[in-house]
Amino acid sequence: MNLPHGMGNLRHDQRPKVSQGSTRRISSSSRAKRDPEPSSSAFSKARIRSTYSDIFTNAISRFLLPIHVLPRAETSDRFTICARVRPFFEEETLRNDIYDCVSTTNETVTVHVGNLHLNKLEMKHVTFHFDNIFGKHSSNQDVYNVVQKTIIHSIPQRDRLPVDSTVFLYGKTGTGKSYTINGITQLFAHDVFTFIENSHCDIRLGISAIEIVAGTKGFIVSKDNVCDLYNNGALVCFRDDAEGTVHLRGAKEHSCNNSTQMDAYIKAAKNIRRTQATARNSESSRSHLIYFIRIRKAADQLEDGEILSTITFVDLAGNEGKQDSLNYKGNSDHIKDSTSINRSLSSLQDCIRAASAGSKIIPFRGTTLTRLLKGCFYSKESKTVFIGTISGLPMDIEQSISTLKYTGLIKWPMEDFTIEQTVKLNGIL
Ligand SMILES: Nc1ncnc2c1ncn2[C@@H]1O[C@H](COP(=O)(O)OP(=O)(O)OP(=O)(O)O)[C@@H](O)[C@H]1O
């Protein structure tokens, strides 16, 4: 029997156990109806999940990935779509109402959604099939090994022109975006000079780091501000050229001659970035952080000398559902931040989807974030890795599903990467 790929490397006895129930693909048209925004009802859902945790954990332990989940046509390698599941913290493992609602293989992640429907308990297993899944036990090195295959295309070779590459981290607050980007940029800093040496090309590296923060006029959220993290947060203007390369006017670019320097500049930007303690994360990022690693001709020592390619690392601010916003009632700054962040994330998805569908019209002018990343959408040769981060907590289920849908839709129509099975559980309430 042909095992679906992703399951091929699991022995039969290692695979999750069979579950009974209906299986269906999710169509894009019915998506909105069945997946409403998490709302105050999410609280009652959380209560149901905690009250009937025994029944739900039993149903999760009997889950088996449907055999026909995976076949799909080969798609281009311009976008690599991944998800990472963060492990539970120690304090979470000690709580009775918390159990793991996510299971993974190398290419699939399944979110187990326990619910009460018409007074009966049911378990919906929603499986997402991506290019790579990093489970709870994966390390930053595992993530970097995949990212490296993409960013290597930006290093010039004698027989090949370099292309731009971008790595995005997207997910709910506290799911490990910054943890992942810090890990992979550190590994990148360590490796990149070896790549350059092996390329035998005369090139030099420069790094700039900016954050995008919500601009406000009174009560109104206006155009976002771009701040230079290497110049005390000074405001930066930018323009793009015909090739789509964005030039930051007034942003400092530091030349890096070795790994230690590169690593130090990466850490310096991270430490200056705007963060705020929230209910979910003591150091929650309230801005989008972007590192631009410019690969320039070595002969051209000027700061604005010819750019051969750019490697961009984007740590997006945490997206927030309605229930998160309820924690900040009355904090108008936080609400303005959230509005701006959610608007730019939604615009980013529109742009990446238009780009992956090969559309000539890409709505990148909508937000500062998408204007800055224009090159990633316009250049057909550019390569992008998009990593959605989630947690397996019962109270995060709706957000995890929303993150995974957002992430997958970048590359495929919904029915090509999602499958849903519903199992009716014993117990009438
Ligand atoms: N894979 C992981 N392994 C171990 N610890 C992790 C992992 N992912 C996240 N963490 C820990 O979880 C906490 C929150 O992670 P992090 O700050 O990266 O979240 P975030 O998604 O960037 O949140 P925000 O959007 O609020 O900035 C941190 O203490 C981090 O060390």
Side-chain angles (χ1 to χ4, degrees):
M1 177 173 54
N2 277 343
L3 280 180
H5 67 268
M7 292 302 290
N9 41 12
L10 288 182
R11 286 198 326 265
H12 188 266
D13 57 336
Q14 291 175 311
R15 298 173 63 198
K17 290 180 205 141
V18 181
S19 73
Q20 304 296 323
S22 58
T23 300
R24 64 199 161 121
R25 286 183 181 274
I26 299 179
S27 77
S28 313
S29 55
S30 56
R31 172 165 44 106
K33 194 172 139 218
R34 272 184 283 105
D35 183 37
E37 261 282 289
S39 64
S40 55
S41 68
F43 292 118
S44 52
K45 283 180 186 166
R47 206 171 304 126
I48 297 279
R49 281 170 203 150
S50 129
T51 310
Y52 300 101
S53 57
D54 288 353
I55 298 177
F56 289 137
T57 39
N58 184 27
I60 292 170
S61 71
R62 284 185 284 115
F63 167 71
L64 174 64
L65 195 67
I67 209 81
H68 56 286
V69 68
L70 302 168
R72 81 175 155 220
E74 272 304 304
T75 38
S76 94
D77 68 345
R78 183 173 166 199
F79 293 93
T80 304
I81 303 297
C82 313
R84 184 175 196 186
V85 187
R86 82 148 165 81
F88 283 180
F89 304 139
E90 204 181 327
E91 61 272 23
E92 289 168 345
T93 57
L94 297 175
R95 281 176 52 176
N96 289 336
D97 59 335
I98 287 187
Y99 50 95
D100 199 353
C101 295
V102 167
S103 37
T104 56
T105 67
N106 290 347
E107 291 183 347
T108 66
V109 53
T110 304
V111 184
H112 308 284
V113 190
N115 247 333
L116 185 63
H117 182 65
L118 301 176
N119 267 4
K120 284 188 180 165
L121 293 178
E122 67 174 30
M123 171 65 74
K124 203 159 62 171
H125 303 287
V126 192
T127 300
F128 298 84
H129 174 205
F130 290 170
D131 294 314
N132 294 91
I133 301 294
F134 305 105
K136 292 162 204 95
H137 302 296
S138 63
S139 63
N140 281 332
Q141 181 71 54
D142 297 329
V143 182
Y144 177 70
N145 291 344
V146 169
V147 166
Q148 190 210 64
K149 288 186 193 145
T150 291
I151 56 184
I152 196 86
H153 291 274
S154 298
I155 309 291
Q157 302 290 332
R158 288 212 172 126
D159 56 345
R160 193 189 69 205
L161 284 175
V163 297
D164 291 346
S165 57
T166 311
V167 181
F168 286 96
L169 264 298
Y170 169 81
K172 181 185 161 71
T173 175
T175 49
K177 297 180 295 298
S178 305
Y179 179 88
T180 307
I181 206 93
N182 295 343
I184 59 180
T185 46
Q186 212 177 334
L187 290 162
F188 165 79
H190 191 260
D191 264 9
V192 65
F193 290 92
T194 316
F195 296 155
I196 288 178
E197 219 171 283
N198 294 342
S199 80
H200 305 293
C201 294
D202 217 7
I203 48 186
R204 68 184 176 87
L205 283 190
I207 178 168
S208 34
I210 53 117
E211 68 174 341
I212 304 176
V213 294
T216 50
K217 271 189 194 149
F219 292 110
I220 299 166
V221 179
S222 65
K223 207 171 69 143
D224 292 336
N225 292 324
V226 182
C227 306
D228 183 2
L229 291 172
Y230 295 141
N231 189 15
N232 296 323
L235 288 185
V236 170
C237 300
F238 62 94
R239 65 177 173 80
D240 46 358
D241 61 23
E243 277 78 50
T245 307
V246 171
H247 300 270
L248 299 169
R249 278 194 188 155
K252 271 197 180 155
E253 181 179 306
H254 292 291
S255 273
C256 298
N257 300 318
N258 54 50
S259 301
T260 319
Q261 270 183 352
M262 172 75 84
D263 193 35
Y265 285 127
I266 286 171
K267 285 189 178 135
K270 180 191 93 171
N271 293 337
I272 298 168
R273 182 191 193 181
R274 220 162 59 123
T275 59
Q276 188 184 43
T278 65
R280 297 303 294 268
N281 187 357
S282 58
E283 282 191 33
S284 178
S285 321
R286 303 311 305 152
S287 64
H288 304 300
L289 165 66
I290 309 183
Y291 295 103
F292 291 102
I293 317 284
R294 306 290 196 195
I295 297 168
R296 297 178 185 266
K297 279 191 179 166
D300 214 340
Q301 285 301 321
L302 294 172
E303 206 174 81
D304 58 354
E306 188 185 344
I307 297 172
L308 298 171
S309 60
T310 304
I311 300 172
T312 311
F313 291 99
V314 188
D315 181 6
L316 294 166
N319 72 338
E320 292 188 348
K322 279 182 197 161
Q323 77 270 43
D324 297 299
S325 321
L326 294 175
N327 294 330
Y328 304 101
K329 254 186 188 164
N331 183 342
S332 63
D333 282 349
H334 189 95
I335 292 166
K336 280 181 226 164
D337 275 359
S338 299
T339 310
S340 157
I341 289 167
N342 289 349
R343 196 183 46 161
S344 54
L345 293 176
S346 151
S347 175
L348 176 68
Q349 188 189 28
D350 292 344
C351 290
I352 301 191
R353 285 189 71 188
S356 78
S359 167
K360 283 192 182 141
I361 300 166
I362 294 172
F364 73 93
R365 292 197 187 279
T367 61
T368 304
L369 175 72
T370 46
R371 284 180 63 209
L372 270 169
L373 298 171
K374 178 186 166 191
C376 147
F377 319 123
Y378 266 96
S379 162
K380 291 214 163 38
E381 284 76 42
S382 70
K383 307 264 180 207
T384 299
V385 184
F386 200 99
I387 306 172
T389 56
I390 60 166
S391 87
L393 299 173
M395 54 286 256
D396 282 352
I397 285 179
E398 275 72 23
Q399 279 283 332
S400 299
I401 289 186
S402 142
T403 296
L404 294 168
K405 284 182 179 172
Y406 180 109
T407 305
L409 280 170
I410 285 166
K411 184 163 172 178
W412 305 284
M414 182 78 86
E415 52 274 22
D416 280 11
F417 70 90
T418 315
I419 195 160
E420 212 179 89
Q421 299 166 274
T422 303
V423 183
K424 298 284 175 207
L425 302 176
N426 289 335
I428 299 174
L429 306 183

